[in-house]
């Protein structure tokens, strides 16, 4: 599928920071991995905890007459998990896509780990390596096995050796609970399994930050939790994450901060508990009233 070129085929630092397979408990509730194999508690390298990793300042974006991002300021610290919610059309996907430079912006700045987004070429490819993205549709290569889907980026773009790439891919597939499906093709897996493969594929690039754009909204209800569990354990492992989702349970469990967008603006942001119990703006109260009663 064409959409995958943007993220899946992006290059990346091939090193998986974990020494061994830090598979967490399937429920995703436990502490992720530390101890078991002597791996560090927060294996994802993405700057020092709390230091700004993704910074947007004064970001503006139009589609024709439509002002979709209006003066967006947002700083996401290393290791932070930010959930973005808001009504349809409020600009959540555009925000994510701008951070990965799938969309250009008209003014303002976006930096990842202190570097402005490059416009093109190798530097852009390197940026995409640092910014993993998981979409609603999984965008796996249909004609490649699960294992090949995960090894493709590291081998093709980063020149990782096949053996190493396979070992790392298997560890990641195990981590997301689909190692036994490695030789199958995407169509032979459930939606939840495919989405977990898509997460493993992004992780194979060893990104500094992961963007998720409604990763569970195309899934049957019984498969949503298996994907959210993987995301929760990823959050626990110290990955910096920006997650567009309306899964409030996940937001409460895993997010450090909820950012509420409406009409291309960040209307308010707060810790999940505070946001859900005491939304300050009328827009947020209205929105929460709608989604919580459905
Ligand atoms: N490529 C495009 N060309 C023109 N307009 C676009 C394009 N992409 C998005 N838009 C418009 O920009 C606005 C913001 O879209 P965006 O997809 O970012 O919203 P969203 O918050 O992700 O919505 P949803 O919850 O439905 O996914 C919408 O009005 C949308 O129709
Ligand atoms: Mg969207």
């Amino acid at each position: 599928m064409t959409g995958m070129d943007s993220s899946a085929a992006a290059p990346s630092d091939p090193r998986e920071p974990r020494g061994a397979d830090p598979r967490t408990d399937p429920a995703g509730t436990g502490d992720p991995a530390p101890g078991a194999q002597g791996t560090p508690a927060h294996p994802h390298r993405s700057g020092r905890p709390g230091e700004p990793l993704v910074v947007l300042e004064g970001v503006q974006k139009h589609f024709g007459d439509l002002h979709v991002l209006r003066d967006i300021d947002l700083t996401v610290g290393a290791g932070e998990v930010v959930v973005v919610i808001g009504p349809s059309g409020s600009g959540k996907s555009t925000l994510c896509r701008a951070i990965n430079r799938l969309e250009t912006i008209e003014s303002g700045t976006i930096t990842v780990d202190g570097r402005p987004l490059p416009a093109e070429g190798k530097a852009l490819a390197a940026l995409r390596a640092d910014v993993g993205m998981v979409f609603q549709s999984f965008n796996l290569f249909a004609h490649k096995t699960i294992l090949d889907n995960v090894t493709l980026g590291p081998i093709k773009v980063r020149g990782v050796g096949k053996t190493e790439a396979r070992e790392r891919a298997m560890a990641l597939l195990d981590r997301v609970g689909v190692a036994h499906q490695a030789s199958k093709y995407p169509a032979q897996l459930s939606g939840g399994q495919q989405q977990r493969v898509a997460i493993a594929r992004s992780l194979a690039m060893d990104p500094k930050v992961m963007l998720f754009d409604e990763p569970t909204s195309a899934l049957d209800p019984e498969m949503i939790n298996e994907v959210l569990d993987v995301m929760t354990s990823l959050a626990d492992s110290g990955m910096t994450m920006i997650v567009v989702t309306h899964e409030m349970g996940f937001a409460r469990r895993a997010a450090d901060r909820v950012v509420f967008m409406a009409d291309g603006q960040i209307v308010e942001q707060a810790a999940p508990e505070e946001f859900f119990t005491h939304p300050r703006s009328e827009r947020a109260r209205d929105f929460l009233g709608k989604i919580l009663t459905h």
Side-chain angles (χ1 to χ4, degrees):
M1 302 199 194
T2 53
M4 102 163 262
D5 298 337
S6 52
S7 69
S12 175
D13 184 334
R15 286 162 297 140
E16 168 62 27
R18 290 159 230 45
D21 164 30
R23 176 80 208 268
T24 58
D25 68 308
T29 50
D31 206 12
Q37 277 119 4
T39 48
H42 292 147
H44 293 289
R45 56 160 185 93
S46 51
R48 290 164 192 257
E51 280 190 0
L53 188 68
V54 179
V55 180
L56 289 81
E57 284 175 333
V59 170
Q60 308 276 1
K61 169 80 182 174
H62 287 79
F63 285 119
D65 291 340
L66 196 64
H67 200 171
V68 278
L69 295 179
R70 299 173 183 242
D71 200 21
I72 299 284
D73 293 324
L74 178 67
T75 298
V76 179
E80 196 180 9
V81 177
V82 171
V83 161
V84 180
I85 69 171
S88 182
S90 56
K92 306 179 299 293
S93 294
T94 307
L95 179 77
C96 281
R97 293 168 59 80
I99 294 170
N100 207 12
R101 214 173 185 287
L102 296 173
E103 299 284 358
T104 55
I105 59 172
E106 288 136 19
S107 59
T109 57
I110 302 178
T111 60
V112 174
D113 209 8
R115 282 173 298 177
L117 299 196
E120 58 190 8
K122 283 198 170 154
L124 179 57
L127 164 89
R128 297 245 173 87
D130 285 343
V131 182
M133 185 141 179
V134 174
F135 301 89
Q136 180 177 331
S137 54
F138 328 121
N139 294 334
L140 298 174
F141 284 122
H143 59 289
K144 292 196 182 295
T145 65
I146 297 306
L147 182 63
D148 287 345
N149 264 280
V150 180
T151 58
L152 189 73
I155 291 172
K156 287 260 181 204
V157 189
R158 298 295 293 186
V160 177
K162 273 191 184 164
T163 309
E164 185 190 342
R166 288 169 82 94
E167 276 170 15
R168 293 188 58 242
M170 286 308 297
L172 285 167
L173 288 171
D174 189 35
R175 186 175 175 203
V176 301
V178 290
H180 54 296
Q181 315 276 13
S183 59
K184 292 189 179 169
Y185 289 86
Q188 296 173 286
L189 270 60
S190 72
Q193 289 169 332
Q194 288 186 57
Q195 192 60 303
R196 286 182 283 148
V197 173
I199 293 171
R201 183 186 55 184
S202 274
L203 291 175
M205 301 298 207
D206 195 18
K208 290 179 179 171
V209 52
M210 287 278 287
L211 310 177
F212 293 85
D213 190 0
E214 304 210 34
T216 60
S217 56
L219 299 175
D220 291 338
E222 71 270 22
M223 292 169 193
I224 290 175
N225 279 337
E226 66 194 36
V227 171
L228 293 177
D229 287 346
V230 165
M231 291 168 59
T232 302
S233 66
L234 194 57
D236 289 344
S237 77
M239 177 59 81
T240 309
M241 294 164 62
I242 300 173
V243 185
V244 178
T245 183
H246 292 160
E247 293 291 338
M248 298 305 143
F250 172 80
R252 283 199 142 99
R253 190 163 69 238
D256 297 301
R257 185 162 35 128
V258 172
V259 166
F260 175 72
M261 285 185 75
D263 298 327
Q265 282 176 304
I266 293 179
V267 176
E268 62 176 285
Q269 42 186 321
E273 229 26 70
E274 188 190 335
F275 176 77
F276 291 124
T277 49
H278 302 294
R280 291 188 297 269
S281 66
E282 187 58 43
R283 288 297 308 258
R285 278 194 292 275
D286 183 53
F287 176 76
L288 286 175
K290 281 180 187 141
I291 62 165
L292 295 178
T293 52
H294 282 94

